[in-house]
Amino acid sequence: MLLVLAMTTLVSGAFAQSFEMGHSSVQVGYGFGNFIRAIFKTYEDTYSQFSFKGTGPAFAKFEYAVSDKVGVGVNLAYVSASVSYTDTSVFVPSAGTFYRQTLKWYNVSALARINVHFGSNDKFDPYWGAGLGYRTGKTSYTDNDPNYDNSSTLKTYIPFGFETTFGARYYFTDNIGIYAETGLAKAVFQVGLSGKF
C-alpha cells in the first residue's frame, strides 16, 4: 500500500509543472560579483581615508508564460558605487590639505527577455534566458584642487544592454519561492524572491 502511494505521488509530481502557459511570475533580487564595483574597491589598499558606498546590483523581473516551456518579459536592473579617498603623497597648498578625489558611477537597464524552461517539476523550475534592450549610466569625477577644474562626467554612449544567464526557481508554496541565476548580467550571481500568479 505504501509503495502504491509513493508511486502515485511520484507520477503526479512528474506531470505537474511549476511553469505553465498563461501564468505570470515576478522576481526581486540582489546580485553579487559586479566588475565595476570590484574595481572601485581596489582603491582601499592604496589610499587613506577611504570611503566606499554602493547599491546593488538590484533586479526586478516580470515574465509571462507563452507556452509551457517559453516565457517572455522584462528585466530591470540598477547598480551604483561611490568611492572617496585621499592621496597623502600629494599636498594641495591652496586647499591646505592633501589631495582628495571622489568617483561616482551608476548603471541602469531595461531589457526585453526570453526564458526557455526545461523542467517538469511542480516546485523546481530550471531555465536559460537572454535579454536585449536599453542600458545607460554615468561616471563622474571630482577633486579638491581649487586651481584646476578637474571635475568630469562620462556618459554611456552606446545605450545597448545584453544579458544571458542560467537560473532556477524553487517554490515553497503554490505561489511563493526563491530564485537564483548565474551568468553574464550586472552580477555574476543573483538571488531573490519569486512569486507567480
Side-chain angles (χ1 to χ4, degrees):
M1 182 66 174
L2 288 176
L3 181 60
V4 172
L5 182 60
M7 290 298 290
T8 303
T9 303
L10 287 173
V11 170
S12 63
F15 290 103
Q17 287 187 205
S18 58
F19 187 83
E20 295 179 302
M21 179 176 170
H23 287 214
S24 298
S25 63
V26 176
Q27 285 81 42
V28 290
Y30 198 85
F32 304 92
N34 179 269
F35 181 67
I36 300 296
R37 285 191 63 175
I39 290 176
F40 274 41
K41 290 285 279 184
T42 62
Y43 288 87
E44 187 170 12
D45 297 328
T46 308
Y47 299 104
S48 62
Q49 297 179 0
F50 179 87
S51 172
F52 176 85
K53 297 177 183 176
T55 302
F59 299 90
K61 307 165 183 274
F62 171 80
E63 182 180 6
Y64 177 75
V66 295
S67 76
D68 285 347
K69 296 296 180 184
V70 177
V72 295
V74 63
N75 284 9
L76 306 176
Y78 175 83
V79 60
S80 69
S82 173
V83 61
S84 296
Y85 54 90
T86 299
D87 187 347
T88 55
S89 67
V90 180
F91 187 78
V92 183
S94 55
T97 185
F98 291 104
Y99 190 59
R100 184 155 181 85
Q101 304 169 76
T102 299
L103 289 167
K104 294 181 179 180
W105 167 80
Y106 81 89
N107 192 275
V108 62
S109 62
L111 308 180
R113 175 145 169 152
I114 184 169
N115 289 337
V116 178
H117 298 256
F118 43 88
S120 59
N121 188 278
D122 63 340
K123 295 199 176 290
F124 184 66
D125 175 26
Y127 56 89
W128 165 82
L132 294 172
Y134 178 74
R135 176 181 64 90
T136 187
K138 183 172 74 171
T139 303
S140 62
Y141 164 85
T142 58
D143 64 31
N144 67 342
D145 190 341
N147 295 324
Y148 299 96
D149 182 14
N150 290 328
S151 62
S152 62
T153 300
L154 178 64
K155 295 183 179 180
T156 302
Y157 289 105
I158 303 175
F160 173 76
F162 170 77
E163 68 178 19
T164 180
T165 61
F166 285 94
R169 300 169 191 150
Y170 183 83
Y171 290 97
F172 302 110
T173 71
D174 288 343
N175 303 103
I176 303 296
I178 58 173
Y179 88 94
E181 290 184 19
T182 185
L184 179 63
K186 277 190 170 50
V188 175
F189 178 75
Q190 56 183 282
V191 64
L193 297 174
S194 179
K196 64 177 179 176
F197 53 94

